Amino acid sequence: MLPIFLFSGYYFLAALVGVLYALTDKLITKIEDNTNKNLVDVFGQQARFVWILKDNIEIEIPFDALKNGDIVVVNAGESIPVDGTIIQGTASIDQHILTGESQPAEKGIGDQVLAVTVVIEGHIHVQAEKAGEQTVAAQIGQILTNTTDFREFVRLQGLEDANKMVPLRLLLTGLAL
């Protein structure tokens, strides 16, 4: 479309189309980058340290030291660091980040909880069944990251193919003129 405007003498329209295309491309790139940054690290919101129950004593350990079988203590306002089962206490848990539920879920002894969800109200002890990269949240993050990586690969492949066609298009345009 741009060459048509140029050859027809509509220089202002050609310049306007070029500027709008560049701005749109920049905006789309910025939005994709922000989305990718938000998806890359599911555990970016996790605390560096968590409380576990060991010999009936609460001990603070580094998040990276959590393992399956630990009993994690989670208070109101804290994010649950593991997938597991509540073995003591009750809580109102905001799961919208994973499930999309608009209302907090009431959970008690024997209920399953997922990492990255937030305890709104209550106090629970969670027996860790999956920690770190094994959690549902980490797996969802990995799938989303792989999806965006694949989409980026396909987009770049399309741009490369389009760039290879430019000389042919210029030649055909020259012959047509």
Side-chain angles (χ1 to χ4, degrees), residues 81-109:
V82 295
D83 289 353
T85 305
I86 298 175
I87 59 171
Q88 182 179 340
T90 59
S92 178
I93 299 174
D94 181 7
Q95 305 179 123
H96 84 277
I97 195 167
L98 291 179
T99 64
E101 295 175 36
S102 61
Q103 297 294 320
E106 295 297 323
K107 302 276 187 164
I109 296 172

Short mmCIF file of all heavy atoms in Angstrom, two decimals, residues 81-109:
data_model
loop_
_atom_site.label_atom_id
_atom_site.label_comp_id
_atom_site.label_asym_id
_atom_site.label_seq_id
_atom_site.Cartn_x
_atom_site.Cartn_y
_atom_site.Cartn_z
N PRO A 81 3.42 -21.64 49.74
CA PRO A 81 4.59 -21.91 48.92
C PRO A 81 4.63 -23.29 48.26
O PRO A 81 5.50 -23.56 47.45
CB PRO A 81 5.75 -21.78 49.92
CG PRO A 81 5.15 -22.16 51.22
CD PRO A 81 3.72 -21.73 51.17
N VAL A 82 3.69 -24.20 48.61
CA VAL A 82 3.74 -25.58 48.12
C VAL A 82 2.35 -26.05 47.74
O VAL A 82 1.36 -25.47 48.15
CB VAL A 82 4.31 -26.53 49.20
CG1 VAL A 82 5.75 -26.22 49.51
CG2 VAL A 82 3.47 -26.50 50.46
N ASP A 83 2.29 -27.13 46.95
CA ASP A 83 1.04 -27.85 46.75
C ASP A 83 0.98 -28.90 47.86
O ASP A 83 1.98 -29.57 48.12
CB ASP A 83 1.03 -28.57 45.41
CG ASP A 83 0.90 -27.63 44.23
OD1 ASP A 83 0.70 -26.42 44.44
OD2 ASP A 83 1.02 -28.10 43.09
N GLY A 84 -0.16 -29.02 48.51
CA GLY A 84 -0.24 -30.00 49.58
C GLY A 84 -1.62 -30.10 50.18
O GLY A 84 -2.60 -29.60 49.63
N THR A 85 -1.68 -30.75 51.35
CA THR A 85 -2.93 -31.00 52.05
C THR A 85 -2.89 -30.31 53.40
O THR A 85 -1.88 -30.38 54.11
CB THR A 85 -3.12 -32.52 52.26
OG1 THR A 85 -3.04 -33.17 51.00
CG2 THR A 85 -4.46 -32.82 52.89
N ILE A 86 -4.00 -29.67 53.75
CA ILE A 86 -4.10 -29.03 55.06
C ILE A 86 -4.23 -30.11 56.12
O ILE A 86 -5.11 -30.97 56.03
CB ILE A 86 -5.30 -28.07 55.13
CG1 ILE A 86 -5.15 -26.94 54.10
CG2 ILE A 86 -5.47 -27.50 56.54
CD1 ILE A 86 -6.33 -26.01 54.00
N ILE A 87 -3.34 -30.07 57.13
CA ILE A 87 -3.41 -31.06 58.20
C ILE A 87 -3.85 -30.44 59.52
O ILE A 87 -4.17 -31.16 60.47
CB ILE A 87 -2.06 -31.80 58.39
CG1 ILE A 87 -0.94 -30.82 58.72
CG2 ILE A 87 -1.73 -32.62 57.16
CD1 ILE A 87 0.35 -31.51 59.14
N GLN A 88 -3.90 -29.09 59.56
CA GLN A 88 -4.38 -28.42 60.76
C GLN A 88 -4.83 -27.02 60.40
O GLN A 88 -4.17 -26.32 59.64
CB GLN A 88 -3.27 -28.35 61.82
CG GLN A 88 -3.72 -27.71 63.11
CD GLN A 88 -2.60 -27.66 64.15
OE1 GLN A 88 -1.63 -28.39 64.05
NE2 GLN A 88 -2.75 -26.80 65.13
N GLY A 89 -5.98 -26.60 60.98
CA GLY A 89 -6.49 -25.25 60.81
C GLY A 89 -7.46 -25.11 59.66
O GLY A 89 -7.72 -26.06 58.91
N THR A 90 -8.02 -23.92 59.56
CA THR A 90 -8.92 -23.56 58.46
C THR A 90 -8.52 -22.19 57.95
O THR A 90 -7.93 -21.39 58.67
CB THR A 90 -10.40 -23.52 58.92
OG1 THR A 90 -10.53 -22.56 59.96
CG2 THR A 90 -10.89 -24.88 59.38
N ALA A 91 -8.88 -21.93 56.70
CA ALA A 91 -8.52 -20.64 56.11
C ALA A 91 -9.43 -20.32 54.94
O ALA A 91 -10.00 -21.20 54.30
CB ALA A 91 -7.07 -20.67 55.64
N SER A 92 -9.51 -19.03 54.67
CA SER A 92 -10.16 -18.54 53.46
C SER A 92 -9.03 -18.24 52.49
O SER A 92 -8.15 -17.42 52.78
CB SER A 92 -10.95 -17.27 53.79
OG SER A 92 -11.54 -16.75 52.63
N ILE A 93 -9.04 -18.92 51.32
CA ILE A 93 -7.90 -18.85 50.40
C ILE A 93 -8.33 -18.25 49.06
O ILE A 93 -9.29 -18.70 48.45
CB ILE A 93 -7.30 -20.26 50.20
CG1 ILE A 93 -6.80 -20.78 51.54
CG2 ILE A 93 -6.18 -20.23 49.16
CD1 ILE A 93 -6.30 -22.21 51.51
N ASP A 94 -7.58 -17.25 48.63
CA ASP A 94 -7.81 -16.60 47.33
C ASP A 94 -7.03 -17.38 46.28
O ASP A 94 -5.81 -17.35 46.24
CB ASP A 94 -7.34 -15.15 47.39
CG ASP A 94 -7.57 -14.41 46.10
OD1 ASP A 94 -8.22 -14.97 45.19
OD2 ASP A 94 -7.10 -13.26 45.98
N GLN A 95 -7.76 -18.07 45.40
CA GLN A 95 -7.15 -18.92 44.38
C GLN A 95 -7.29 -18.35 42.99
O GLN A 95 -7.00 -19.02 42.00
CB GLN A 95 -7.81 -20.31 44.39
CG GLN A 95 -7.80 -20.99 45.71
CD GLN A 95 -8.48 -22.34 45.66
OE1 GLN A 95 -7.84 -23.32 46.01
NE2 GLN A 95 -9.71 -22.42 45.24
N HIS A 96 -7.74 -17.10 42.86
CA HIS A 96 -8.07 -16.56 41.54
C HIS A 96 -6.89 -16.55 40.58
O HIS A 96 -7.08 -16.65 39.37
CB HIS A 96 -8.67 -15.15 41.66
CG HIS A 96 -7.65 -14.07 41.77
ND1 HIS A 96 -7.06 -13.72 42.96
CD2 HIS A 96 -7.10 -13.27 40.83
CE1 HIS A 96 -6.20 -12.75 42.74
NE2 HIS A 96 -6.19 -12.45 41.47
N ILE A 97 -5.68 -16.47 41.06
CA ILE A 97 -4.51 -16.44 40.17
C ILE A 97 -4.37 -17.75 39.38
O ILE A 97 -3.87 -17.75 38.27
CB ILE A 97 -3.22 -16.12 40.96
CG1 ILE A 97 -2.10 -15.73 40.01
CG2 ILE A 97 -2.80 -17.28 41.83
CD1 ILE A 97 -0.91 -15.10 40.70
N LEU A 98 -4.83 -18.86 39.95
CA LEU A 98 -4.74 -20.15 39.26
C LEU A 98 -6.07 -20.63 38.69
O LEU A 98 -6.11 -21.20 37.61
CB LEU A 98 -4.20 -21.23 40.21
CG LEU A 98 -2.75 -21.10 40.64
CD1 LEU A 98 -2.38 -22.21 41.60
CD2 LEU A 98 -1.82 -21.11 39.45
N THR A 99 -7.15 -20.42 39.44
CA THR A 99 -8.43 -21.00 39.04
C THR A 99 -9.39 -20.00 38.43
O THR A 99 -10.35 -20.39 37.78
CB THR A 99 -9.13 -21.65 40.25
OG1 THR A 99 -9.43 -20.64 41.23
CG2 THR A 99 -8.26 -22.73 40.87
N GLY A 100 -9.16 -18.70 38.69
CA GLY A 100 -10.05 -17.68 38.16
C GLY A 100 -11.30 -17.48 39.01
O GLY A 100 -12.17 -16.69 38.65
N GLU A 101 -11.42 -18.18 40.13
CA GLU A 101 -12.59 -18.03 41.00
C GLU A 101 -12.62 -16.62 41.57
O GLU A 101 -11.62 -16.11 42.03
CB GLU A 101 -12.53 -19.03 42.16
CG GLU A 101 -12.61 -20.47 41.73
CD GLU A 101 -12.42 -21.42 42.91
OE1 GLU A 101 -12.89 -21.11 44.01
OE2 GLU A 101 -11.81 -22.48 42.70
N SER A 102 -13.80 -16.00 41.56
CA SER A 102 -13.90 -14.64 42.05
C SER A 102 -14.00 -14.57 43.57
O SER A 102 -13.64 -13.57 44.17
CB SER A 102 -15.12 -13.95 41.42
OG SER A 102 -16.30 -14.64 41.79
N GLN A 103 -14.47 -15.62 44.20
CA GLN A 103 -14.64 -15.66 45.64
C GLN A 103 -13.57 -16.53 46.30
O GLN A 103 -13.19 -17.56 45.74
CB GLN A 103 -16.02 -16.22 46.01
CG GLN A 103 -17.18 -15.39 45.52
CD GLN A 103 -17.24 -14.05 46.20
OE1 GLN A 103 -17.01 -13.94 47.40
NE2 GLN A 103 -17.54 -13.00 45.44
N PRO A 104 -13.10 -16.14 47.48
CA PRO A 104 -12.15 -17.00 48.20
C PRO A 104 -12.80 -18.33 48.57
O PRO A 104 -14.01 -18.39 48.81
CB PRO A 104 -11.82 -16.19 49.46
CG PRO A 104 -12.24 -14.80 49.17
CD PRO A 104 -13.34 -14.87 48.17
N ALA A 105 -12.01 -19.38 48.62
CA ALA A 105 -12.51 -20.71 48.97
C ALA A 105 -12.21 -20.99 50.44
O ALA A 105 -11.12 -20.68 50.91
CB ALA A 105 -11.86 -21.76 48.09
N GLU A 106 -13.17 -21.56 51.12
CA GLU A 106 -12.98 -21.96 52.52
C GLU A 106 -12.36 -23.35 52.51
O GLU A 106 -12.91 -24.28 51.93
CB GLU A 106 -14.30 -21.96 53.28
CG GLU A 106 -14.94 -20.59 53.41
CD GLU A 106 -14.11 -19.61 54.21
OE1 GLU A 106 -13.48 -20.02 55.20
OE2 GLU A 106 -14.08 -18.43 53.83
N LYS A 107 -11.22 -23.50 53.14
CA LYS A 107 -10.50 -24.78 53.17
C LYS A 107 -10.25 -25.19 54.61
O LYS A 107 -10.00 -24.36 55.48
CB LYS A 107 -9.16 -24.67 52.44
CG LYS A 107 -9.24 -24.23 51.00
CD LYS A 107 -9.52 -25.38 50.09
CE LYS A 107 -9.43 -24.92 48.64
NZ LYS A 107 -9.31 -26.02 47.74
N GLY A 108 -10.31 -26.50 54.82
CA GLY A 108 -10.06 -27.04 56.15
C GLY A 108 -9.23 -28.31 56.07
O GLY A 108 -8.68 -28.65 55.02
N ILE A 109 -9.16 -29.04 57.18
CA ILE A 109 -8.35 -30.25 57.27
C ILE A 109 -8.74 -31.24 56.17
O ILE A 109 -9.91 -31.51 55.94
CB ILE A 109 -8.50 -30.89 58.67
CG1 ILE A 109 -7.96 -29.93 59.73
CG2 ILE A 109 -7.79 -32.23 58.74
CD1 ILE A 109 -8.22 -30.36 61.16
#
